[in-house]
PDB file of all heavy atoms in Angstrom:
ATOM      1  N   LEU E   1      97.506  88.451 104.890  1.00  0.00           N
ATOM      2  CA  LEU E   1      96.257  88.682 105.619  1.00  0.00           C
ATOM      3  C   LEU E   1      96.438  89.803 106.634  1.00  0.00           C
ATOM      4  O   LEU E   1      95.584  90.675 106.753  1.00  0.00           O
ATOM      5  CB  LEU E   1      95.804  87.400 106.315  1.00  0.00           C
ATOM      6  CG  LEU E   1      94.535  87.526 107.143  1.00  0.00           C
ATOM      7  CD1 LEU E   1      93.342  87.818 106.260  1.00  0.00           C
ATOM      8  CD2 LEU E   1      94.303  86.266 107.949  1.00  0.00           C
ATOM      9  N   LYS E   2      97.544  89.810 107.342  1.00  0.00           N
ATOM     10  CA  LYS E   2      97.806  90.862 108.326  1.00  0.00           C
ATOM     11  C   LYS E   2      97.888  92.223 107.651  1.00  0.00           C
ATOM     12  O   LYS E   2      97.358  93.206 108.149  1.00  0.00           O
ATOM     13  CB  LYS E   2      99.098  90.573 109.084  1.00  0.00           C
ATOM     14  CG  LYS E   2      99.520  91.650 110.035  1.00  0.00           C
ATOM     15  CD  LYS E   2      99.732  91.100 111.408  1.00  0.00           C
ATOM     16  CE  LYS E   2     100.239  92.137 112.375  1.00  0.00           C
ATOM     17  NZ  LYS E   2      99.307  93.164 112.697  1.00  0.00           N
ATOM     18  N   GLN E   3      98.551  92.284 106.495  1.00  0.00           N
ATOM     19  CA  GLN E   3      98.654  93.539 105.758  1.00  0.00           C
ATOM     20  C   GLN E   3      97.268  94.014 105.332  1.00  0.00           C
ATOM     21  O   GLN E   3      96.948  95.203 105.449  1.00  0.00           O
ATOM     22  CB  GLN E   3      99.554  93.362 104.533  1.00  0.00           C
ATOM     23  CG  GLN E   3      99.743  94.618 103.724  1.00  0.00           C
ATOM     24  CD  GLN E   3     100.608  94.382 102.497  1.00  0.00           C
ATOM     25  OE1 GLN E   3     101.006  93.266 102.216  1.00  0.00           O
ATOM     26  NE2 GLN E   3     100.884  95.437 101.767  1.00  0.00           N
ATOM     27  N   TYR E   4      96.422  93.114 104.841  1.00  0.00           N
ATOM     28  CA  TYR E   4      95.060  93.475 104.443  1.00  0.00           C
ATOM     29  C   TYR E   4      94.268  93.985 105.649  1.00  0.00           C
ATOM     30  O   TYR E   4      93.548  94.979 105.550  1.00  0.00           O
ATOM     31  CB  TYR E   4      94.353  92.274 103.820  1.00  0.00           C
ATOM     32  CG  TYR E   4      92.894  92.540 103.559  1.00  0.00           C
ATOM     33  CD1 TYR E   4      92.502  93.331 102.494  1.00  0.00           C
ATOM     34  CD2 TYR E   4      91.920  92.024 104.402  1.00  0.00           C
ATOM     35  CE1 TYR E   4      91.161  93.599 102.269  1.00  0.00           C
ATOM     36  CE2 TYR E   4      90.588  92.283 104.187  1.00  0.00           C
ATOM     37  CZ  TYR E   4      90.212  93.065 103.121  1.00  0.00           C
ATOM     38  OH  TYR E   4      88.895  93.326 102.899  1.00  0.00           O
ATOM     39  N   GLN E   5      94.392  93.336 106.791  1.00  0.00           N
ATOM     40  CA  GLN E   5      93.679  93.771 107.987  1.00  0.00           C
ATOM     41  C   GLN E   5      94.133  95.157 108.426  1.00  0.00           C
ATOM     42  O   GLN E   5      93.321  95.987 108.829  1.00  0.00           O
ATOM     43  CB  GLN E   5      93.878  92.766 109.124  1.00  0.00           C
ATOM     44  CG  GLN E   5      93.154  91.467 108.918  1.00  0.00           C
ATOM     45  CD  GLN E   5      93.507  90.429 109.980  1.00  0.00           C
ATOM     46  OE1 GLN E   5      94.592  90.457 110.546  1.00  0.00           O
ATOM     47  NE2 GLN E   5      92.586  89.515 110.224  1.00  0.00           N
ATOM     48  N   ASP E   6      95.443  95.426 108.336  1.00  0.00           N
ATOM     49  CA  ASP E   6      95.959  96.741 108.699  1.00  0.00           C
ATOM     50  C   ASP E   6      95.410  97.820 107.776  1.00  0.00           C
ATOM     51  O   ASP E   6      95.017  98.898 108.220  1.00  0.00           O
ATOM     52  CB  ASP E   6      97.490  96.752 108.676  1.00  0.00           C
ATOM     53  CG  ASP E   6      98.091  95.888 109.769  1.00  0.00           C
ATOM     54  OD1 ASP E   6      97.366  95.566 110.743  1.00  0.00           O
ATOM     55  OD2 ASP E   6      99.280  95.519 109.643  1.00  0.00           O
ATOM     56  N   GLU E   7      95.384  97.538 106.460  1.00  0.00           N
ATOM     57  CA  GLU E   7      94.856  98.507 105.499  1.00  0.00           C
ATOM     58  C   GLU E   7      93.365  98.748 105.734  1.00  0.00           C
ATOM     59  O   GLU E   7      92.895  99.884 105.667  1.00  0.00           O
ATOM     60  CB  GLU E   7      95.085  98.019 104.078  1.00  0.00           C
ATOM     61  CG  GLU E   7      96.529  98.044 103.639  1.00  0.00           C
ATOM     62  CD  GLU E   7      96.748  97.400 102.288  1.00  0.00           C
ATOM     63  OE1 GLU E   7      95.755  96.963 101.661  1.00  0.00           O
ATOM     64  OE2 GLU E   7      97.908  97.328 101.856  1.00  0.00           O
ATOM     65  N   ALA E   8      92.620  97.683 106.017  1.00  0.00           N
ATOM     66  CA  ALA E   8      91.179  97.822 106.245  1.00  0.00           C
ATOM     67  C   ALA E   8      90.898  98.625 107.506  1.00  0.00           C
ATOM     68  O   ALA E   8      89.992  99.471 107.526  1.00  0.00           O
ATOM     69  CB  ALA E   8      90.527  96.442 106.336  1.00  0.00           C
ATOM     70  N   SER E   9      91.674  98.400 108.561  1.00  0.00           N
ATOM     71  CA  SER E   9      91.449  99.162 109.793  1.00  0.00           C
ATOM     72  C   SER E   9      91.846 100.623 109.614  1.00  0.00           C
ATOM     73  O   SER E   9      91.208 101.521 110.158  1.00  0.00           O
ATOM     74  CB  SER E   9      92.205  98.540 110.959  1.00  0.00           C
ATOM     75  OG  SER E   9      93.592  98.627 110.736  1.00  0.00           O
ATOM     76  N   ALA E  10      92.889 100.906 108.810  1.00  0.00           N
ATOM     77  CA  ALA E  10      93.282 102.291 108.541  1.00  0.00           C
ATOM     78  C   ALA E  10      92.207 103.004 107.736  1.00  0.00           C
ATOM     79  O   ALA E  10      91.859 104.152 108.020  1.00  0.00           O
ATOM     80  CB  ALA E  10      94.610 102.320 107.795  1.00  0.00           C
ATOM     81  N   THR E  11      91.631 102.326 106.747  1.00  0.00           N
ATOM     82  CA  THR E  11      90.563 102.914 105.944  1.00  0.00           C
ATOM     83  C   THR E  11      89.326 103.176 106.792  1.00  0.00           C
ATOM     84  O   THR E  11      88.694 104.222 106.682  1.00  0.00           O
ATOM     85  CB  THR E  11      90.204 101.980 104.772  1.00  0.00           C
ATOM     86  OG1 THR E  11      91.381 101.717 104.017  1.00  0.00           O
ATOM     87  CG2 THR E  11      89.160 102.595 103.879  1.00  0.00           C
ATOM     88  N   ALA E  12      88.998 102.235 107.671  1.00  0.00           N
ATOM     89  CA  ALA E  12      87.822 102.405 108.530  1.00  0.00           C
ATOM     90  C   ALA E  12      88.010 103.564 109.492  1.00  0.00           C
ATOM     91  O   ALA E  12      87.076 104.332 109.752  1.00  0.00           O
ATOM     92  CB  ALA E  12      87.549 101.126 109.295  1.00  0.00           C
ATOM     93  N   SER E  13      89.219 103.743 110.021  1.00  0.00           N
ATOM     94  CA  SER E  13      89.452 104.849 110.948  1.00  0.00           C
ATOM     95  C   SER E  13      89.422 106.194 110.225  1.00  0.00           C
ATOM     96  O   SER E  13      88.970 107.186 110.776  1.00  0.00           O
ATOM     97  CB  SER E  13      90.772 104.665 111.684  1.00  0.00           C
ATOM     98  OG  SER E  13      91.853 104.737 110.781  1.00  0.00           O
ATOM     99  N   GLU E  14      89.895 106.227 108.966  1.00  0.00           N
ATOM    100  CA  GLU E  14      89.825 107.462 108.180  1.00  0.00           C
ATOM    101  C   GLU E  14      88.387 107.833 107.886  1.00  0.00           C
ATOM    102  O   GLU E  14      88.004 108.993 107.962  1.00  0.00           O
ATOM    103  CB  GLU E  14      90.599 107.307 106.869  1.00  0.00           C
ATOM    104  CG  GLU E  14      92.094 107.285 107.027  1.00  0.00           C
ATOM    105  CD  GLU E  14      92.810 106.998 105.720  1.00  0.00           C
ATOM    106  OE1 GLU E  14      92.134 106.957 104.667  1.00  0.00           O
ATOM    107  OE2 GLU E  14      94.032 106.796 105.757  1.00  0.00           O
ATOM    108  N   GLU E  15      87.554 106.837 107.538  1.00  0.00           N
ATOM    109  CA  GLU E  15      86.145 107.107 107.241  1.00  0.00           C
ATOM    110  C   GLU E  15      85.403 107.561 108.487  1.00  0.00           C
ATOM    111  O   GLU E  15      84.508 108.393 108.417  1.00  0.00           O
ATOM    112  CB  GLU E  15      85.485 105.864 106.655  1.00  0.00           C
ATOM    113  CG  GLU E  15      85.954 105.533 105.251  1.00  0.00           C
ATOM    114  CD  GLU E  15      85.362 104.246 104.730  1.00  0.00           C
ATOM    115  OE1 GLU E  15      84.611 103.577 105.486  1.00  0.00           O
ATOM    116  OE2 GLU E  15      85.645 103.894 103.583  1.00  0.00           O
ATOM    117  N   ALA E  16      85.765 107.020 109.627  1.00  0.00           N
ATOM    118  CA  ALA E  16      85.089 107.394 110.868  1.00  0.00           C
ATOM    119  C   ALA E  16      85.468 108.800 111.297  1.00  0.00           C
ATOM    120  O   ALA E  16      84.648 109.527 111.866  1.00  0.00           O
ATOM    121  CB  ALA E  16      85.444 106.407 111.975  1.00  0.00           C
ATOM    122  N   SER E  17      86.707 109.223 111.021  1.00  0.00           N
ATOM    123  CA  SER E  17      87.140 110.552 111.450  1.00  0.00           C
ATOM    124  C   SER E  17      86.700 111.644 110.488  1.00  0.00           C
ATOM    125  O   SER E  17      86.538 112.785 110.891  1.00  0.00           O
ATOM    126  CB  SER E  17      88.663 110.579 111.607  1.00  0.00           C
ATOM    127  OG  SER E  17      89.281 110.372 110.352  1.00  0.00           O
ATOM    128  N   ALA E  18      86.495 111.311 109.216  1.00  0.00           N
ATOM    129  CA  ALA E  18      86.080 112.318 108.242  1.00  0.00           C
ATOM    130  C   ALA E  18      84.583 112.592 108.386  1.00  0.00           C
ATOM    131  O   ALA E  18      83.777 111.672 108.460  1.00  0.00           O
ATOM    132  CB  ALA E  18      86.378 111.832 106.826  1.00  0.00           C
ATOM    133  N   PRO E  19      84.181 113.871 108.416  1.00  0.00           N
ATOM    134  CA  PRO E  19      82.757 114.171 108.518  1.00  0.00           C
ATOM    135  C   PRO E  19      82.051 113.823 107.215  1.00  0.00           C
ATOM    136  O   PRO E  19      82.561 114.063 106.129  1.00  0.00           O
ATOM    137  CB  PRO E  19      82.719 115.680 108.786  1.00  0.00           C
ATOM    138  CG  PRO E  19      84.009 116.195 108.241  1.00  0.00           C
ATOM    139  CD  PRO E  19      84.998 115.071 108.380  1.00  0.00           C
ATOM    140  N   ALA E  20      80.882 113.238 107.342  1.00  0.00           N
ATOM    141  CA  ALA E  20      80.102 112.861 106.169  1.00  0.00           C
ATOM    142  C   ALA E  20      79.415 114.103 105.624  1.00  0.00           C
ATOM    143  O   ALA E  20      78.725 114.814 106.339  1.00  0.00           O
ATOM    144  CB  ALA E  20      79.074 111.796 106.531  1.00  0.00           C
ATOM    145  N   SER E  21      79.627 114.389 104.346  1.00  0.00           N
ATOM    146  CA  SER E  21      79.026 115.582 103.753  1.00  0.00           C
ATOM    147  C   SER E  21      77.535 115.360 103.550  1.00  0.00           C
ATOM    148  O   SER E  21      77.101 114.322 103.077  1.00  0.00           O
ATOM    149  CB  SER E  21      79.699 115.895 102.416  1.00  0.00           C
ATOM    150  OG  SER E  21      79.529 114.804 101.538  1.00  0.00           O
ATOM    151  N   GLY E  22      76.748 116.344 103.938  1.00  0.00           N
ATOM    152  CA  GLY E  22      75.298 116.255 103.767  1.00  0.00           C
ATOM    153  C   GLY E  22      74.619 115.372 104.780  1.00  0.00           C
ATOM    154  O   GLY E  22      73.462 115.039 104.615  1.00  0.00           O
ATOM    155  N   GLN E  23      75.304 114.963 105.827  1.00  0.00           N
ATOM    156  CA  GLN E  23      74.719 114.061 106.800  1.00  0.00           C
ATOM    157  C   GLN E  23      74.672 114.660 108.198  1.00  0.00           C
ATOM    158  O   GLN E  23      74.635 113.938 109.170  1.00  0.00           O
ATOM    159  CB  GLN E  23      75.503 112.744 106.829  1.00  0.00           C
ATOM    160  CG  GLN E  23      75.384 111.937 105.565  1.00  0.00           C
ATOM    161  CD  GLN E  23      73.956 111.527 105.272  1.00  0.00           C
ATOM    162  OE1 GLN E  23      73.224 111.123 106.168  1.00  0.00           O
ATOM    163  NE2 GLN E  23      73.540 111.639 104.032  1.00  0.00           N
ATOM    164  N   THR E  24      74.689 115.976 108.296  1.00  0.00           N
ATOM    165  CA  THR E  24      74.545 116.594 109.606  1.00  0.00           C
ATOM    166  C   THR E  24      73.085 116.503 110.025  1.00  0.00           C
ATOM    167  O   THR E  24      72.194 116.348 109.176  1.00  0.00           O
ATOM    168  CB  THR E  24      74.993 118.068 109.567  1.00  0.00           C
ATOM    169  OG1 THR E  24      74.121 118.781 108.686  1.00  0.00           O
ATOM    170  CG2 THR E  24      76.434 118.193 109.110  1.00  0.00           C
ATOM    171  N   PRO E  25      72.788 116.591 111.293  1.00  0.00           N
ATOM    172  CA  PRO E  25      71.399 116.532 111.726  1.00  0.00           C
ATOM    173  C   PRO E  25      70.525 117.614 111.081  1.00  0.00           C
ATOM    174  O   PRO E  25      69.354 117.378 110.765  1.00  0.00           O
ATOM    175  CB  PRO E  25      71.488 116.724 113.241  1.00  0.00           C
ATOM    176  CG  PRO E  25      72.850 116.215 113.598  1.00  0.00           C
ATOM    177  CD  PRO E  25      73.708 116.567 112.435  1.00  0.00           C
ATOM    178  N   ALA E  26      71.096 118.790 110.839  1.00  0.00           N
ATOM    179  CA  ALA E  26      70.322 119.855 110.197  1.00  0.00           C
ATOM    180  C   ALA E  26      69.960 119.473 108.764  1.00  0.00           C
ATOM    181  O   ALA E  26      68.818 119.718 108.313  1.00  0.00           O
ATOM    182  CB  ALA E  26      71.112 121.160 110.214  1.00  0.00           C
TER     183      ALA E  26
END
């Protein structure tokens, strides 16, 4: 469970830091 939580938090932080393509305000 701890390993799964670590992987999920790493994936969430990567998604948050990567800019979403096509989702800029413009």
Side-chain angles (χ1 to χ4, degrees):
L1 178 66
K2 175 126 177 68
Q3 181 182 4
Y4 172 76
Q5 289 173 333
D6 292 342
E7 290 173 2
S9 65
T11 304
S13 65
E14 288 175 7
E15 290 176 358
S17 64
S21 60
Q23 293 299 318
T24 64

